[in-house]
């Protein structure tokens, strides 16, 4: 394929605006897949993506388009996620492209992640084609959506915006022509030394790491000796090829192509996303700039419910090999045994990963269930002796007598909403310790910029925002910095023994209310024993709330016969003497106990 006829592009949009449906239509019109292979969400191959109807991991596919000018063009298309948690996937996908389709739902208009993805593309100086989807629906407000697009970018006029219905295929042929006419071809030099960007990777237990590459300069041949410039790792290309969307072997890739390289490297940490791949014999002089690696924002513990640690370890290791944004370290809990402390991009990422582990790995393959502890963020603790600690696990939070100060991460939240929802949204942000820093307009919408602690945003804020705005508000966040806050650790004792897995960190002013609500929830979720089980919540050594879980005991009136009060009392005394011999940590905690903390 001539370099002038290659187009590398991504589809970017807010969640549920129709990216995967448009990708399916493009593959159907270019006959990339046969009618027999065609199905909805073709590029979303994970079961969890199919179940939620969202894209979690970016996928690449090569399409050949026969244009109206009689020439054949190669479209390397990357379908990206739309949820705010997966902006990292969008950024690394756009690094491999020369342009993008900015897709907007005509029934919902420009939303937060539309704006966030637009800014990511503009930072890379990428040309964008505005596309308005779902124009055939009765609820579509085309004029309002066109006005919002124009407010976002003055070049997005009604004349330059394409009106389509990805579901029915209406207007999609015009999109294929616009890609050819309005997006540039790759501008690398074929005769220059090989320079390729590793923009994603996949781990195969037999072939090792399979690197997804975009060739910026030069040519890549099968069985060629290659080198990763940042890692200094050399290897021989076992196989190379392109995506159709399955892997299709090729003998050679040239400048502008997007494909894969089977490295044979068994350690995924040696093939980092953002690496520069070059030839061993004639290397390029300067590596590519790459981009920032993913930064975990939320941490949670995963433990096997039946102490089947080997199965959980195998599942998490497989997941970590194929998802560079997921991090994990082994940890031990006195109450739950051995498990893992895992880092996630956000609360939705945590939900997706947890379902992927349970549904695709453990429950179906091994019959093992997983306990997930309450999520938390990273805290920076300054001790009185001058040392600094980075705390990802509340169990590691030092004693209050040793702490000089605690800093927590803050984010800048841009909330886009209709004007009638402004008062309710501002009241909600105040409840979550947000500080309004700016208030502006985005067409008919109001954009409130709020500075908030990440811990307040990570859990229920997004769902509460949707509730108070009746579903019309959208959220985009950007990490700011760590700032000092007044934080305390809430510890939970059960039967007078500390349960480390239930510990969590909150702001001091919230501790009295949180502890009272917590023990109330635990009273109905902790499994009953044959004797009362005291549950108490402590802050800095003081018990702020306590409750006794009622006993589950045998009825003294056996077989319905009448017995004297003394016989009943004697039976209860014998039961109490026998059952209190149980150890303090005999209570097995179900997932509902940890969900009680999430519901606070």
């Amino acid at each position: 394929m001539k370099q002038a006829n290659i187009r590398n592009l991504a589809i970017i949009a807010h969640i549920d605006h129709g990216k995967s449906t448009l990708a399916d239509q493009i593959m159907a019109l270019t006959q990339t897949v046969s009618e027999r292979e065609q199905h909805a969400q073709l590029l979303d191959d994970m079961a969890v993506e199919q179940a939620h109807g969202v894209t979690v991991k970016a996928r690449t596919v090569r399409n050949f388009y026969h244009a109206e000018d009689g020439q054949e063009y190669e479209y390397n298309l990357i379908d990206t996620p739309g949820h705010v948690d997966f902006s990292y996937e969008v950024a690394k996908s756009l690094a491999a492209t020369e342009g993008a389709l900015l897709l907007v739902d005509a029934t919902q208009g420009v939303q937060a992640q539309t704006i966030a993805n637009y800014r990511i593309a503009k930072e890379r100086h990428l040309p964008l084609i505005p596309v308005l989807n779902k124009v055939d629906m009765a609820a579509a407000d085309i004029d309002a959506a066109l006005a919002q697009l124009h407010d976002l970018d003055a070049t997005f006029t009604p004349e330059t915006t394409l009106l389509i219905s990805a579901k029915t295929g209406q207007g999609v042929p015009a999109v294929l022509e616009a890609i050819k006419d309005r997006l540039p071809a790759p501008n690398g030099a074929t005769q220059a030394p090989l320079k390729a960007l590793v923009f994603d990777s996949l781990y195969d237990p037999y072939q090792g790491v399979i690197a997804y590459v975009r060739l910026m300069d030069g040519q890549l041949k099968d069985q060629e000796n290659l080198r990763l410039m940042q890692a200094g790792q050399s290897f021989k290309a076992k196989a190379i090829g392109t995506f159709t969307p399955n892997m299709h072997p090729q003998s050679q890739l040239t400048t502008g192509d997007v494909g894969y390289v089977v490295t044979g490297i068994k350690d995924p940490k040696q093939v980092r996303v953002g690496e520069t791949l070059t030839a061993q014999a004639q290397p390029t002089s300067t590596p590519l700039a790459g981009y920032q690696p993913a930064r975990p924002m939320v941490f949670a513990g995963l433990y096997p419910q039946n102490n089947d640690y080997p199965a959980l370890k195998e599942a998490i290791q497989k997941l970590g090999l194929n998802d560079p944004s997921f991090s994990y370290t082994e940890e031990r809990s006195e109450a739950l045994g051995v498990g893992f402390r895992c880092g996630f991009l956000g609360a939705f990422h945590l939900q997706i990963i947890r379902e992927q582990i349970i549904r695709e790995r453990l429950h179906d393959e091994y019959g093992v269930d997983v306990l997930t502890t309450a999520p938390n963020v990273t805290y920076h603790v300054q001790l009185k002796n001058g040392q600094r600690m980075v705390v990802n696990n509340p169990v590691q939070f030092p004693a209050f007598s040793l702490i000089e100060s605690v800093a927590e991460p803050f984010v800048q939240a841009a909330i886009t909403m209709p004007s009638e929802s402004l008062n309710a949204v501002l009241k909600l942000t105040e409840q979550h310790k947000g500080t309004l820093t700016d208030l502006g307009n985005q067409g008919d919408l109001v954009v409130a910029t709020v500075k908030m602690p990440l811990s307040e945003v990570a859990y229920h804020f997004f769902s509460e925002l949707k509730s108070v705005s009746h579903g019309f508000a959208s959220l985009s966040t950007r990490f700011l910095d760590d700032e000092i806050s007044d934080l305390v650790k809430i510890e939970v004792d059960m039967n007078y023994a500390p349960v480390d897995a239930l510990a969590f960190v909150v702001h001091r002013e919230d501790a009295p209310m949180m502890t009272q609500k917590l023990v109330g929830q635990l009273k109905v979720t902790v499994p009953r024993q044959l004797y009362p089980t005291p549950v108490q919540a402590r802050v800095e050594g003081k018990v702020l709330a306590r409750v006794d879980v009622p006993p589950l005991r045998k009825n003294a009136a056996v077989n319905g016969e009448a017995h004297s009060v003394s016989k009943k009392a004697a039976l209860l005394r014998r039961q109490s003497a026998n059952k209190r011999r149980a150890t303090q940590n005999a209570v097995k905690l179900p997932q509902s106990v940890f969900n009680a903390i999430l519901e606070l």
Side-chain angles (χ1 to χ4, degrees), residues 116-271:
N117 291 338
Y118 165 82
R119 289 172 178 163
I120 294 173
K122 281 301 179 183
E123 285 172 3
R124 299 186 175 277
H125 308 290
L126 296 178
L128 296 173
I129 301 175
V131 181
L132 199 59
N133 190 24
K134 305 182 184 179
V135 297
D136 59 327
M137 296 185 67
D141 191 345
I142 298 176
D143 292 337
L146 288 172
Q148 291 174 12
L149 276 169
H150 187 264
D151 290 335
L152 180 64
D153 191 316
T155 63
F156 295 165
T157 63
E159 293 74 27
T160 61
T161 304
L162 304 175
L163 307 183
I164 71 165
S165 170
K167 189 171 184 179
T168 64
Q170 172 188 338
V172 178
V175 174
L176 293 173
E177 279 294 311
I179 292 171
K180 167 182 71 74
D181 297 332
R182 294 160 62 176
L183 296 184
N187 57 5
T190 306
Q191 303 305 320
L194 172 63
K195 182 188 291 186
L197 171 70
V198 178
F199 68 91
D200 208 345
S201 63
L202 175 73
Y203 184 81
D204 185 276
Y206 303 104
Q207 302 182 96
V209 178
I210 301 175
Y212 293 12
V213 296
R214 156 70 203 281
L215 271 67
M216 302 299 184
D217 290 312
Q219 301 180 23
L220 174 59
K221 298 180 180 179
D222 191 15
Q223 304 300 317
E224 186 176 2
N225 291 319
L226 305 172
R227 187 164 68 90
L228 297 166
M229 296 190 70
Q230 283 89 336
Q233 176 74 21
S234 299
F235 64 93
K236 184 177 183 179
K238 309 294 182 186
I240 63 174
T242 56
F243 301 97
T244 62
N246 298 319
M247 293 183 183
H248 184 68
Q250 303 282 346
S251 59
Q252 179 175 303
L253 298 176
T254 60
T255 301
D257 281 340
V258 175
Y260 66 89
V261 179
V262 178
T263 66
I265 298 173
K266 294 297 184 180
D267 183 5
K269 295 179 181 178
Q270 295 184 4
V271 188

Side-chain angles (χ1 to χ4, degrees), residues 10 41 45 152 210 212 285 296 302 330 342 399 435:
Q41 288 181 264
D45 57 349
L152 180 64
I210 301 175
Y212 293 12
S285 56
L302 298 180
E330 186 179 299
C342 303
T435 304

